[in-house]
Amino acid sequence: MKIYFSSDYDKFTFHHSNRPIRSSKIEKLKNSMAKKNFLPNAPLICKKKNGQLEIFDGQHRKIVAEELSIPIAYTLIGDNKDIRDANITDVAEFNNNADKWSVTDAIHHFESVKNPHYIKLKEFMNEYKFNATLSAIMLSIDVSSENRLKNQFFHNSGEKLRTGKFKITDYEYARTLANNVYDYKKYFKHWNNRNFVLAIMYLVFGGVYNHSDMMNKMEKYDGLLKFQATVNDFILNIEEIYNYHMGAKSRVRFT
């Protein structure tokens, strides 16, 4: 690997899809690099573009080097056979393994490189104000009949989100789920709690729950829905309200 050095900090630019700068990481790197300059062993990965050096990997190191007046060590993608065919998504995967990306970092990156699934995810998050993992679960849920069991869609979407593997399966169905949850907002201040959202998703997904009937009960008996510690406890609470003042033959079970 051929390594170059430069103190011309202005010739380095950031790729538009780099994750947002984190001040905590800047301070951590600054304390470390003030004691020992490790850049020759961890050079920035750059690509020549319009007479400048576009940073694919190492934006935090560049900022710290400039603040400490340390020459920047860098390598060029075109000079190195092992990274010659790299693109910004390859570097994203490398960074994720070396320095675990947050879900927010990943969404920013994959949205900026025009991944349509992440663009729609961000639109969904902005519209409904659910966090990334809840939004991802709604958007990637498998509504096939063989998956209509309680835990088959309660998966952890975080790893897929961080590695660019997230895929939307049914955007309109996700909107149905989100709208059902959102209808509780006027009755329940914890409407966007993770366990509550998952409970509503389970009920809608199961096919027995009738949302209009439940909203009528919420309108009549506001205050019966209480905060619960688990998904199952929320389901039982909702079942109790759903069956409130109903005869034994008309009562339904959600579990």
Side-chain angles (χ1 to χ4, degrees):
M1 178 180 289
K2 190 171 183 179
I3 298 176
Y4 304 88
F5 293 87
S6 176
S7 294
D8 183 0
Y9 307 111
D10 291 337
K11 74 177 181 180
F12 293 89
T13 63
F14 295 157
H15 192 280
H16 68 89
S17 70
N18 285 133
R19 62 179 132 175
I21 298 296
R22 299 204 308 268
S23 58
S24 59
K25 184 168 183 178
I26 292 291
E27 291 305 311
K28 184 176 179 180
L29 281 174
K30 187 182 295 185
N31 291 335
S32 178
M33 288 173 62
K35 297 175 183 177
K36 183 178 181 180
N37 179 11
F38 57 76
L39 283 181
N41 295 317
L44 280 64
I45 298 176
C46 302
K47 184 177 183 179
K48 288 184 177 179
K49 183 177 181 180
N50 300 326
Q52 291 192 294
L53 296 171
E54 188 175 48
I55 300 172
F56 271 40
D57 174 53
Q59 57 176 351
H60 289 87
R61 278 169 278 158
K62 184 268 182 186
I63 292 172
V64 173
E66 183 173 1
E67 290 185 5
L68 296 177
S69 298
I70 295 174
I72 293 175
Y74 67 95
T75 188
L76 296 173
I77 287 177
D79 285 352
N80 299 281
K81 184 178 180 180
D82 55 338
I83 61 173
R84 189 171 297 156
D85 296 325
N87 56 45
I88 191 64
T89 302
D90 296 326
V91 175
E93 185 173 354
F94 166 79
N95 277 332
N96 184 44
N97 291 326
D99 178 15
K100 203 69 167 180
W101 275 23
S102 70
V103 167
T104 302
D105 289 336
I107 291 173
H108 169 80
H109 166 74
F110 290 109
E111 180 192 17
S112 68
V113 297
K114 309 303 181 185
N115 184 308
H117 296 279
Y118 287 78
I119 291 172
K120 295 297 287 184
L121 169 63
K122 196 62 178 291
E123 290 176 4
F124 187 88
M125 292 171 61
N126 288 338
E127 180 176 0
Y128 289 103
K129 311 305 179 187
F130 294 118
N131 65 32
T133 53
L134 280 176
S135 297
I137 290 173
M138 291 183 192
L139 290 164
S140 62
I141 192 171
D142 184 346
V143 297
S144 57
S145 58
E146 60 268 27
N147 282 339
R148 292 185 180 278
L149 295 173
K150 181 175 179 180
N151 289 319
Q152 287 189 315
F153 67 95
F154 287 5
H155 58 280
N156 182 353
S157 298
E159 193 62 26
K160 286 187 177 181
L161 284 171
R162 281 191 289 266
T163 56
K165 297 177 182 178
F166 166 72
K167 304 289 184 186
I168 294 173
T169 55
D170 191 330
Y171 193 83
E172 290 308 312
Y173 189 75
R175 285 177 57 85
T176 297
L177 292 172
N179 286 330
N180 281 184
V181 175
Y182 206 79
D183 284 344
Y184 282 89
K185 184 176 181 180
K186 63 185 290 188
Y187 305 111
F188 188 50
K189 68 178 181 179
H190 304 291
W191 66 276
N192 59 352
N193 170 268
R194 176 184 174 84
N195 286 338
F196 179 73
V197 173
L198 292 177
I200 299 302
M201 288 176 62
Y202 166 60
L203 295 173
V204 176
F205 192 60
V208 177
Y209 169 89
N210 183 296
H211 186 64
S212 295
D213 288 348
M214 185 63 193
M215 288 299 99
N216 288 333
K217 288 293 179 74
M218 292 299 297
E219 185 72 34
K220 291 180 181 178
Y221 308 116
D222 188 15
L224 293 182
L225 184 58
K226 307 294 184 182
F227 182 82
Q228 307 293 335
T230 68
V231 172
N232 193 60
D233 286 341
F234 270 123
I235 292 170
L236 292 174
N237 190 185
I238 294 167
E239 180 183 284
E240 180 183 19
I241 299 168
Y242 195 90
N243 291 318
Y244 197 65
H245 284 182
M246 290 179 65
K249 292 183 178 181
S250 300
R251 295 174 67 87
V252 298
R253 293 289 304 273
F254 294 143
T255 57

